[in-house]
Amino acid sequence: MKCISLAMLCGLSGTQLAYSQCEVQELVATLPDSMMGRGAALQGDVAAIGGATSVHVFERAGLVWSEVIELASPLPNPQSFGRRLAIDGDWIAVGSPGAGPNGGPFDQGRVFLFERQAGSWVASQHFGASASYENLRFGESLDMDGDRLIVGVGADAGVERAYVFENSGGTWMEMAVLEGPADDAQFLASDVQVSGDKALLSTRGDGVLRGAGWLFEFSQGEWSSASKLSVPGTTLDSDFVHASALDGDEAILTSLQQGAWLFDLSGGQNSNYCMGGLNSQGTAAAITFEGSVSILQNEFELVATGLIQHKPGLFFFGTAATQQALGNGYLCATGSVQRLSPAQLADGSASARRWIDFTGAAGGSIQPGGTAYFQYWYRDPAAGGAAFNLSDGLALVFCP
């Protein structure tokens, strides 16, 4: 994951901002449509507005917008056709999360692609997810950037994934499925954004799980595993994340109740490495973090999962990476090593957390621009052998 700095955006948290604005033109469909406005997308001189069963496409000539075509689903039962829309260049993507396979009413969802050819918009292709699930609602969220399309699913699907498609010679093909950590039931891709080689998936808090964003990055022919963007202190019953945006190295996650946060993703590469040894529960402990790697923000929390319930353990970090056998697992952090005392017991979900105060003794040695290598050591007497194990390693580059 890239370096993240956090800042409250004034104006999105109670402060009124004034803008000079001028209503240029009301967009009116050629034929009346009582549901016009269900979805909307805009890029340059092209606008798409979702209606009852169709999508109205407007183009601007000079200062005047005119409807040039009404796009209809090529399949029967166009359930929620046009609820989600995206435009990029000569392509319009139309989400129809209520559609079934081949027009059946099964809420599995489909996405329809329309291409502008010789000045006219024509149906190109449509598809669903590579694996079907009841109430998947594929197309509940979507975004396009260049030749890349990302498609999310409905919040009730219970499926922890989003789908990436790429355009090759006018044909869109599924290239990847982005999945959250297997041990984090929070990941439900209810909103998706794509910009260049980054993808941002997010979900809202629901009173049980805390909302978060999940950042993926495409590098060397594959998508990285999810890195979590969250804000310590946001409550479980807040609607964080209510909305999201992604542009290059910046992302925004919002909450109607608690404001909005800007994440700077422009720092060095952060990643998990090394490996955790299998413990007596048949799992390998993993380490990640929540919050920000900005020293000034001082909102950084380590999280270890897959531990042994109610057994002691300890976070520590070093100045160099390694992988050498130790105990029943592997040592991943070496160099000048600092323990984050005191030791703590894993909770009932077999996890442990540790907030680091960058102004205190424990975190004071971590400097902006520096890289730290984190790991978690824990007792596991039931496994025999050395009776202790370690998580995988986590390399983090810190921002000012």
Side-chain angles (χ1 to χ4, degrees):
M1 192 185 101
K2 293 295 190 181
C3 183
I4 301 167
S5 65
L6 233 59
M8 282 291 292
L9 294 180
C10 298
L12 293 179
S13 182
T15 302
Q16 299 255 341
L17 293 181
Y19 294 94
S20 175
Q21 58 185 2
C22 176
E23 180 182 312
V24 176
Q25 179 185 339
E26 181 182 1
L27 302 183
V28 179
T30 303
L31 298 176
D33 188 336
S34 62
M35 294 292 290
M36 182 172 166
R38 290 204 306 170
L42 173 68
Q43 186 187 65
D45 293 328
V46 179
I49 309 295
T53 59
S54 62
V55 173
H56 305 271
V57 179
F58 295 80
E59 294 185 2
R60 176 170 49 191
L63 297 177
V64 179
W65 289 87
S66 302
E67 184 176 11
V68 295
I69 192 171
E70 183 177 354
L71 305 178
S73 170
L75 298 179
N77 298 323
Q79 302 292 325
S80 58
F81 180 83
R83 179 168 178 169
R84 294 291 182 267
L85 299 165
I87 302 174
D88 196 280
D90 290 327
W91 291 94
I92 296 177
V94 180
S96 183
N102 299 316
F106 300 118
D107 275 351
Q108 289 187 14
R110 297 189 77 75
V111 170
F112 299 80
L113 273 299
F114 295 84
E115 184 182 11
R116 183 165 50 187
Q117 299 177 357
S120 299
W121 293 94
V122 297
S124 174
Q125 68 184 103
H126 59 85
F127 44 75
S130 54
S132 61
Y133 298 86
E134 184 178 359
N135 297 321
L136 181 65
R137 295 189 66 80
F138 177 82
E140 187 67 55
S141 58
L142 53 81
D143 193 25
M144 296 180 75
D145 187 29
D147 289 327
R148 186 167 283 150
L149 167 70
I150 184 169
V151 182
V153 301
D156 295 331
V159 180
E160 302 169 358
R161 61 185 60 182
Y163 299 82
V164 178
F165 296 80
E166 293 185 4
N167 176 24
S168 177
T171 299
W172 292 83
M173 297 178 290
E174 183 180 312
M175 302 300 293
V177 179
L178 304 184
E179 299 184 288
D183 58 356
D184 199 321
Q186 181 186 40
F187 182 88
L188 288 173
S190 58
D191 190 29
V192 296
Q193 305 288 333
V194 63
S195 180
D197 288 331
K198 292 185 178 69
L200 177 64
L201 284 56
S202 58
T203 185
R204 299 185 187 184
D206 62 2
V208 177
L209 302 174
R210 179 178 295 163
W214 302 85
L215 182 69
F216 295 79
E217 188 163 4
F218 187 77
S219 178
Q220 299 181 345
E222 62 182 10
W223 288 90
S224 66
S225 57
S227 297
K228 193 172 185 178
L229 308 184
S230 63
V231 180
T234 50
T235 61
L236 296 178
D237 59 353
S238 77
D239 61 354
F240 184 80
V241 176
H242 177 78
S244 63
L246 175 67
D247 183 30
D249 288 328
E250 294 183 316
I252 293 176
L253 301 178
T254 76
S255 165
L256 290 179
Q257 299 170 346
Q258 299 185 42
W261 290 265
L262 174 67
F263 294 78
D264 179 1
L265 312 174
S266 61
Q269 182 69 40
N270 304 315
S271 63
N272 286 85
Y273 68 98
C274 192
M275 66 176 68
L278 290 178
N279 58 34
S280 61
Q281 299 301 306
T283 61
I287 186 171
T288 185
F289 79 98
E290 295 183 8
S292 167
V293 288
S294 165
I295 300 297
L296 291 176
Q297 291 299 322
N298 204 21
E299 295 282 357
F300 177 80
E301 187 175 33
L302 289 167
V303 182
T305 58
L307 309 175
I308 305 300
Q309 292 181 347
H310 311 303
K311 297 301 179 183
L314 185 75
F315 288 101
F316 65 96
F317 66 93
T319 56
T322 186
Q323 181 170 325
Q324 51 185 294
L326 179 66
N328 293 341
Y330 297 91
L331 178 66
C332 304
T334 187
S336 178
V337 174
Q338 183 169 343
R339 297 179 180 181
L340 297 174
S341 301
Q344 59 194 106
L345 297 179
D347 61 21
S349 63
S351 63
R353 292 173 172 266
R354 169 79 187 214
W355 177 65
I356 296 181
D357 182 3
F358 293 136
T359 66
S365 62
I366 299 175
Q367 298 298 314
T371 302
Y373 302 87
F374 295 90
Q375 197 171 11
Y376 188 82
W377 172 96
Y378 62 100
R379 289 286 185 190
D380 185 10
F388 71 88
N389 209 326
L390 301 101
S391 70
D392 60 350
L394 176 64
L396 296 177
V397 181
F398 288 84
C399 301

